[in-house]
């Protein structure tokens, strides 16, 4: 796996999370480069210029928080680096995860051969219906048996970005599709019917977010949708209708 690069996104002053990740990686015999996260509480004018507020209100439904923009840029700049340095595949991790001992074997099995031709494989999900799938829609189709797990292809969004494998081709697609920020990075990747990145997930999940770590994004205001202007509400409803139609069309085409 000499061509695989491993990255951990970590705020430079967050020494406790860095130590937590170093301990886990050492126990698994993995090395990784710690990459400074973009601090959403110290965005530059150039950072803010990448935010498309009008599209965010239409697609995401609310204004993004600065910390969401910072998280987005942390991942996006790694995609830029993958292309710039010609990195074939990378394991990207956030610093608040718990890693299963099965992860190294799973990764080795995933990159040992090119079939199926995935671009991104999510190793963690925040969506309960995906984590504990009880219906075909959320379970997906098992396309490959791995060590102690299976690789599943989905036709639904995954949610969550704690850890994932991404090929350079996937990074290139995200660079093209996500050059203007309009929703959190994991949800941007989840728009598979637009960005061309088919969702894949490993189940049982080898990575989980630790609940005892406070979110660096921060609490999202519970009433963010309240008081929006009528044109914004109408644009949002039209966008959701359009997304629903295109997702169904995407599913039909892929079944065919």
């Amino acid at each position: 796996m000499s061509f695989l690069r491993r990255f951990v996104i970590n705020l430079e002053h967050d020494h406790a999370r860095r130590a937590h990740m170093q301990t886990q990686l050492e126990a698994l015999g993995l090395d990784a480069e710690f990459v400074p996260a973009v601090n959403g509480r110290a965005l530059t004018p150039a950072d803010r210029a990448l935010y498309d507020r009008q599209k965010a209100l239409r697609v995401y439904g609310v204004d993004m928080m600065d910390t969401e923009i910072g998280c987005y840029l942390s991942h996006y700049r790694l995609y830029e680096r993958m292309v710039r340095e010609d990195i074939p595949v990378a394991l990207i991790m956030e610093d608040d995860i718990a890693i299963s001992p099965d992860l190294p074997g799973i990764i080795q099995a995933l990159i040992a051969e090119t079939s199926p031709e995935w671009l991104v494989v999510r190793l963690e999900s925040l969506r309960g219906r995906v984590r504990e799938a009880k219906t075909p829609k959320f379970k997906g189709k098992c396309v490959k048996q791995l060590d102690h797990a299976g690789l599943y292809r989905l036709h639904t969004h995954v949610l969550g970005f704690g850890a994932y494998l991404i090929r350079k081709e996937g990074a290139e697609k995200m660079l093209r599709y996500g050059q203007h920020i309009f929703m959190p990075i994991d949800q941007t990747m989840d728009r598979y019917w637009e960005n061309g990145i088919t969702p894949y997930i490993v189940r049982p999940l080898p990575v989980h977010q630790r609940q005892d770590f406070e979110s660096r994004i921060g609490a999202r205001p519970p009433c963010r949708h309240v008081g929006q202007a009528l044109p914004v509400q109408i644009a949002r409803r039209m966008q959701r209708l359009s997304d629903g139609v295109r997702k169904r069309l995407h599913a039909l085409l892929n079944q065919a």
Side-chain angles (χ1 to χ4, degrees):
M1 294 194 295
S2 59
F3 58 89
L4 171 70
R5 297 285 295 276
R6 306 179 189 89
F7 300 103
V8 177
I9 297 172
N10 169 252
L11 284 167
E12 289 184 292
H13 63 269
D14 209 330
H15 304 299
R17 292 193 183 207
R18 183 185 180 101
H20 157 70
M21 289 299 296
Q22 284 178 323
T23 299
Q24 288 193 99
L25 293 169
E26 289 172 4
L28 294 172
L30 300 176
D31 61 335
E33 178 183 344
F34 283 77
V35 178
V38 176
N39 188 345
R41 295 176 174 83
L43 296 177
T44 67
D47 294 335
R48 294 186 185 280
L50 299 172
Y51 175 50
D52 187 338
R53 182 173 187 264
Q54 184 176 5
K55 188 172 182 179
L57 291 174
R58 187 179 76 249
V59 182
Y60 188 36
V62 293
D63 260 316
M64 288 180 65
M65 300 189 301
D66 286 355
T67 48
E68 290 176 315
I69 295 173
C71 178
Y72 188 107
L73 290 171
S74 298
H75 289 265
Y76 192 84
R77 288 175 182 171
L78 275 177
Y79 307 153
E80 292 177 323
R81 182 172 170 185
M82 287 183 70
V83 173
R84 185 173 62 249
E85 299 181 10
D86 194 24
I87 298 172
V89 60
L91 170 62
I92 298 178
M93 297 170 281
E94 296 183 340
D95 61 3
D96 59 347
I97 58 173
I99 305 174
S100 164
D102 294 331
L103 182 63
I106 288 171
I107 292 174
Q108 185 171 9
L110 282 170
I111 65 177
E113 56 185 78
T114 58
S115 179
E117 296 180 348
W118 54 265
L119 299 179
V120 178
V121 177
R122 312 280 272 276
L123 304 168
E124 175 257 2
S125 173
L126 298 179
R127 197 178 184 199
R129 286 183 290 182
V130 170
R131 288 198 311 268
E132 301 169 3
K134 298 178 181 178
T135 65
K137 174 183 177 181
F138 296 106
K139 186 174 183 180
K141 179 181 180 181
C142 185
V143 294
K144 185 180 178 68
Q145 289 295 328
L146 311 170
D147 290 353
H148 311 294
L151 176 64
Y152 289 80
R153 183 171 61 238
L154 305 182
H155 291 293
T156 187
H157 62 275
V158 178
L159 195 65
F161 239 32
Y164 57 100
L165 282 171
I166 181 168
R167 297 191 190 277
K168 189 178 77 168
E169 294 84 353
E172 290 170 337
K173 283 183 178 288
M174 282 296 289
L175 290 177
R176 289 192 296 270
Y177 179 71
Q179 56 187 309
H180 299 294
I181 303 171
F182 61 93
M183 67 193 316
I185 187 69
D186 58 330
Q187 295 182 51
T188 301
M189 185 174 284
D190 276 337
R191 294 181 66 81
Y192 55 89
W193 62 95
E194 284 189 339
N195 60 32
I197 300 175
T198 301
Y200 286 88
I201 191 168
V202 170
R203 195 185 285 117
L205 294 168
V207 172
H208 296 84
Q209 281 205 330
R210 286 185 50 162
Q211 299 302 312
D212 55 336
F213 278 140
E214 182 181 355
S215 171
R216 290 294 179 251
I217 299 294
R220 295 174 172 89
C223 300
R224 289 195 291 174
H225 296 83
V226 175
Q228 289 183 331
L230 183 58
V232 173
Q233 296 180 45
I234 293 173
R236 173 61 175 152
R237 289 170 187 167
M238 294 299 293
Q239 181 68 50
R240 294 184 71 176
L241 178 62
S242 173
D243 285 342
V245 170
R246 285 184 290 167
K247 280 191 282 187
R248 289 181 179 88
L249 180 60
H250 181 277
L252 288 172
L253 291 173
N254 277 272
Q255 286 174 2

